[in-house]
Structures are given as C-alpha cells and as structure tokens.
Amino acid sequence: MKRPFWIHQVAEYIVGLLLVAQGLQSPAPLAPSVAGGLVVINAAIVRGAPLSAFRLVSRSVHRVLDIVVLGIIVVLIVQPWIEVIPADRLIMGGIVVVLGFVWLNSNFAEKPPKAPRAAVVASGTAAPNDVGVGAGVGRKAGRLVGNGINAAKRYGKR
C-alpha cells in the first residue's frame, strides 16, 4: 500500500533540512547544503499538496523532479571538482537511499477536484439548501434554538 503524499513531503523536508545542517557543520559545506536545499525546494513547490509553500508543479511533475534531484545528489557525491569529505559523501549516499525508498512507497495520485455547489444542485443530486445530513441537523438545531428564544420573548411580554 502506498503512503499518503503528505508523509512523502514530511520525509523530504526532514531529510533536506538534515542535509543542510550537515553541510553547515562540514569543513566543505557546498555539496551537502546544495543537495539539502534542492530537496527542500522540491518538497515546497508541489501544487495540491498539504505542506507546500509555493504550489508550482503537479504531483506527476514532482515525481519526475524527485528522480532528477536524486540524480543531482548522486552527481554531487561522485564528482571530483567540488571538495566533499568522505563522511558527507556517505551521508548523502544514505539520503539518496532513504529518498529512493520514500519515492517508491509514495502515492503520487492527484486528488480529484471538488465539484462546486452549483454543479451539485444543477445535477439534481441535492436540494438547493441541503448539502448533507450535517447541514440538516444544524439547521434543525438552529430553528429549535430560535423558536425557544422567540417563545421566551413572547412569555416575557405577558
């Protein structure tokens, strides 16, 4: 069973912030900090996700971007141009494994859009003032309270 997308986002935020924190403690902070920043930004730009900040891309695009980010982290691990200490390489490799596992077990399905109320009324599935059982109960409770207040006012005028 696939996990809900919000768990995927929480995992990406935690892992990304851990990478940034690791980079800040490292004598060569560039690679882990960039990798962590990419992971956090990738988690923050998903449209239709509960923990997103910017809502720029759909979940299906995010699914591809996850693979791109993982590939960039792997390149940062093996590249010889930017100094990366062995401990940071090991941690970044572990993060790639964790994010890969999270990616494999995540549900990227888009939530269906909710039908506007006018469309529900027009389709004949609901009366204009009835949106469900809860609304009916609330309406009855409101009328009961209103009738009680009106009765108390009438009784007070006697």
Side-chain angles (χ1 to χ4, degrees):
M1 182 174 155
K2 300 281 186 175
R3 290 179 178 84
F5 191 75
W6 68 269
I7 294 175
H8 175 93
Q9 269 191 305
V10 167
E12 282 185 331
Y13 279 128
I14 290 170
V15 166
L17 293 175
L18 286 174
L19 272 173
V20 170
Q22 178 62 30
L24 293 174
Q25 295 177 2
S26 174
L30 184 61
S33 297
V34 167
L38 284 173
V39 171
V40 170
I41 289 170
N42 188 34
I45 63 172
V46 185
R47 179 176 50 238
L51 302 175
S52 294
F54 302 110
R55 305 188 193 302
L56 300 175
V57 299
S58 66
R59 289 185 187 187
S60 58
V61 173
H62 176 79
R63 185 177 193 166
V64 174
L65 286 177
D66 276 346
I67 299 299
V68 171
V69 168
L70 290 177
I72 291 171
I73 295 172
V74 169
V75 168
L76 286 171
I77 292 170
V78 299
Q79 57 76 34
W81 306 287
I82 302 171
E83 181 186 358
V84 182
I85 63 172
D88 288 347
R89 290 183 198 269
L90 184 64
I91 289 171
M92 289 167 61
I95 294 298
V96 167
V97 170
V98 168
L99 286 177
F101 180 79
V102 169
W103 184 82
L104 284 173
N105 292 308
S106 293
N107 182 4
F108 289 94
E110 300 280 342
K111 289 186 176 182
K114 293 182 180 179
R117 185 169 179 218
V120 172
V121 172
S123 68
T125 58
N129 291 327
D130 189 18
V131 292
V133 175
V137 170
R139 194 174 298 112
K140 286 179 184 177
R143 286 183 184 144
L144 182 65
V145 170
N147 289 338
I149 289 172
N150 288 338
K153 285 180 181 178
R154 284 191 303 264
Y155 182 76
K157 288 183 180 179
R158 289 185 177 185

